[in-house]
């Protein structure tokens, strides 16, 4: 019997897969536990439509991420931080401060969890901070750290 899986089943397949199983296994385990449905013409067509719509949504998200990357390419924010003599900084600039600066200065809302900082910014200067907009797209956010007056 062919079955379309509604959830991931260990050693059988992932959600949305069309698999062939024994009739008894399908009737007594997979279908009653709502792990899958019998693969009829209607259910196969529904699966194809669902996969097509998911692919379209994924493509739209990817294109939106590319547009965001192009939009922020030439923009930058300035973050003032207390500094002592010789440009020595007290503390560091966190991802939370970077996200709030982008919101305040440019009106662009970014998620601080998607900022990829290997190490904290502990000196004055201009930094390019990687921002994971999409699994395939990483934008560079320009951050200018200056001494507070």
């Amino acid at each position: 019997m062919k079955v379309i899986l509604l959830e991931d089943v260990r050693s059988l397949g992932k959600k949305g897969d069309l698999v062939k199983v024994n009739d008894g296994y399908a009737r007594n385990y997979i279908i009653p536990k709502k792990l899958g449905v019998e693969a009829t013409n209607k259910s196969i067509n529904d699966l194809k439509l669902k996969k097509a719509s998911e692919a379209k949504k994924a493509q739209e998200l990817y294109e939106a991420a590319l547009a965001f990357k192009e939009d922020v390419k030439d923009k930058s924010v300035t973050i003032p931080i207390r500094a002592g003599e010789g440009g020595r900084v007290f503390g560091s600039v966190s991802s939370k401060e970077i996200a709030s600066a982008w919101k305040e200065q440019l009106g662009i809302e970014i998620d601080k969890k998607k900022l990829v900082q290997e190490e904290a910014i502990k000196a004055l200067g201009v930094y390019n901070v990687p921002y994971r907009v999409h699994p395939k797209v990483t934008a560079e956010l320009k951050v200018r750290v200056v001494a507070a007056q």
Side-chain angles (χ1 to χ4, degrees):
M1 174 183 281
K2 288 188 178 182
V3 176
I4 297 174
L5 297 177
L6 300 175
E7 293 183 24
D8 292 352
V9 179
R10 182 186 247 169
S11 75
L12 194 57
K14 300 234 179 250
K15 179 180 178 179
D17 286 352
L18 181 66
V19 294
K20 185 173 171 101
V21 295
N22 292 334
D23 291 351
Y25 184 57
R27 270 189 256 121
N28 296 323
Y29 182 74
I30 294 176
I31 295 172
K33 292 199 179 243
K34 307 257 189 275
L35 298 175
V37 294
E38 187 176 350
T40 62
N41 287 337
K42 181 187 180 306
S43 61
I44 292 172
N45 285 336
D46 289 345
L47 177 66
K48 287 179 184 175
L49 289 173
K50 187 175 181 182
K51 283 188 177 183
S53 71
E54 287 175 359
K56 184 179 177 187
K57 284 180 186 176
Q59 183 64 27
E60 288 173 357
L61 288 174
Y62 178 71
E63 289 171 0
L66 287 175
F68 178 82
K69 181 179 177 179
E70 283 298 313
D71 186 38
V72 299
K73 182 171 64 173
D74 299 326
K75 296 180 180 177
S76 68
V77 294
T78 303
I79 299 177
I81 189 167
R82 285 186 41 211
E85 291 188 24
R88 202 177 146 98
V89 175
F90 300 120
S92 64
V93 178
S94 67
S95 58
K96 182 179 179 183
E97 291 172 314
I98 295 171
S100 65
W102 275 85
K103 179 150 173 75
E104 290 172 15
Q105 296 174 21
L106 299 174
I108 298 173
E109 184 130 3
I110 61 172
D111 186 6
K112 68 178 183 180
K113 295 173 189 161
K114 292 183 179 180
L115 286 169
V116 183
Q117 280 185 290
E118 284 79 39
E119 52 191 60
I121 298 172
K122 294 184 178 184
L124 302 178
V126 178
Y127 297 90
N128 287 328
V129 180
Y131 180 65
R132 302 260 310 155
V133 186
H134 186 272
K136 297 178 184 175
V137 179
T138 302
E140 293 286 326
L141 303 181
K142 197 173 290 182
V143 178
R144 188 171 286 116
V145 180
V146 297
Q149 305 302 335

